[in-house]
Amino acid sequence: MLGDMRGGESEAHLRLKQRAVAWALEAGYTAIADEVRLPRSPYRVDIVAARFKDGTAEIAVFECKQARSDLLKDSATEKRTRAKLEQLHERRVAWEKQLAIHRPDLRAGETLFPEFDRYDFSDLRHEGFKAICAEMTRLKSRLYGKTKFAKLVRWRVAHTFHIVAVGGICTAAEVPEGWGLLVESGEKLEQLRLPVRIDCGDPAGALAAIARAGTRRLMKELHINLQPREALSDPEGLSRIK
């Protein structure tokens, strides 16, 4: 059962937050906060999560979207752009599957199973694949414009970025460049698109501290009983975050 709506926040949006927090906990993030204003930006994001290894923090941002109007700007060419994106996305996925077979050295090695791992194609010299990616970037820019999505990635305020959406409002092909897509499936989230992992400098430490401070409060407010695999608060650990 969800808690009361806060500050006019809808039940659907609050439910997506709950799903995002549960997903982050399952993924090993042990510090989580909501409504966090990001350093060096004018933006607040719905959820920020951090996980820690060898004194290093990895930061993830989650933006929850309950309606298509929250995601896309108005555009007279939206229908045509979406159709073209779907075609390009199918071609891109086909290329990525083939490249994963022929270039296992590009695997990030973040999971035990190749089918669930992320591959880094950013430095790959393949003209056909790069042309598809470039065209998708151009079309997504037409859909999203100079929005929060593009700016957060460009400013490198986190390592990964995720859209958390109600089913049917966004396809994997439409996801803003660099972002992953998590869609409601029953009471959980299904990952339809992996995010691109980017380098994150100074903001990582600040975001990790903000996330740690809000973890216990958020668990209580969203009525989540799952417990992370590590301690939720470790003040001394903050001094070791890189």
Side-chain angles (χ1 to χ4, degrees):
M1 179 69 65
L2 294 172
D4 294 335
M5 291 183 288
R6 298 175 296 168
E9 185 174 21
S10 72
E11 185 175 349
H13 193 262
L14 193 57
R15 185 186 69 245
L16 289 174
K17 280 187 177 180
Q18 184 184 40
R19 305 274 194 260
V21 171
W23 186 93
L25 286 169
E26 290 291 337
Y29 291 89
T30 57
I32 306 170
D34 73 332
E35 299 300 328
V36 177
R37 180 169 180 171
L38 298 171
R40 301 178 182 178
S41 88
Y43 296 120
R44 289 184 182 274
V45 294
D46 291 321
I47 300 288
V48 177
R51 57 186 175 187
F52 306 89
K53 183 178 180 181
D54 300 327
T56 300
E58 181 177 337
I59 310 301
V61 164
F62 301 83
E63 277 286 277
C64 301
K65 299 300 177 184
Q66 60 184 333
R68 187 167 180 82
S69 58
D70 295 336
L71 189 64
L72 300 176
K73 69 172 186 177
D74 291 333
S75 172
T77 60
E78 180 184 329
K79 186 175 181 179
R80 291 195 300 274
T81 301
R82 289 181 62 195
K84 182 63 175 177
L85 271 173
E86 294 293 345
Q87 295 172 3
L88 289 169
H89 177 69
E90 290 180 6
R91 292 169 58 189
R92 179 173 176 170
V93 169
W95 272 114
E96 287 176 346
K97 288 180 178 178
Q98 290 299 313
L99 290 168
I101 294 172
H102 297 291
R103 292 294 305 273
D105 56 301
L106 298 177
R107 181 184 169 194
E110 296 172 344
T111 69
L112 294 176
F113 307 101
E115 61 269 29
F116 297 116
D117 210 348
R118 181 178 56 83
Y119 287 77
D120 184 3
F121 301 114
S122 58
D123 294 327
L124 184 68
R125 295 184 178 180
H126 191 292
E127 294 304 319
F129 180 73
K130 283 192 171 295
I132 291 173
C133 294
E135 179 65 5
M136 290 187 72
T137 298
R138 185 185 70 81
L139 292 175
K140 288 178 183 180
S141 179
R142 181 184 298 175
L143 279 179
Y144 297 99
K146 297 179 179 179
T147 65
K148 181 179 181 179
F149 298 111
K151 290 178 180 178
L152 291 180
V153 172
R154 186 169 69 249
W155 293 337
R156 298 180 179 272
V157 296
H159 294 95
T160 57
F161 301 85
H162 308 260
I163 288 176
V164 182
V166 173
I169 72 166
C170 180
T171 68
E174 297 172 311
V175 176
E177 202 65 25
W179 289 68
L181 177 61
L182 295 162
V183 174
E184 274 191 312
S185 179
E187 295 184 355
K188 295 187 177 182
L189 296 176
E190 180 182 0
Q191 189 164 50
L192 297 188
R193 184 70 183 170
L194 288 168
V196 175
R197 192 183 190 283
I198 64 175
D199 292 330
C200 178
D202 260 2
L207 284 173
I210 294 169
R212 279 193 181 276
T215 300
R216 288 189 182 277
R217 175 187 60 79
L218 189 60
M219 297 297 102
K220 182 177 180 180
E221 287 189 357
L222 296 186
H223 299 275
I224 292 177
N225 296 319
L226 292 173
Q227 292 298 315
R229 291 188 286 248
E230 300 175 21
L232 289 177
S233 60
D234 174 21
E236 293 182 1
L238 289 176
S239 62
R240 300 194 297 271
I241 295 172
K242 297 177 182 178

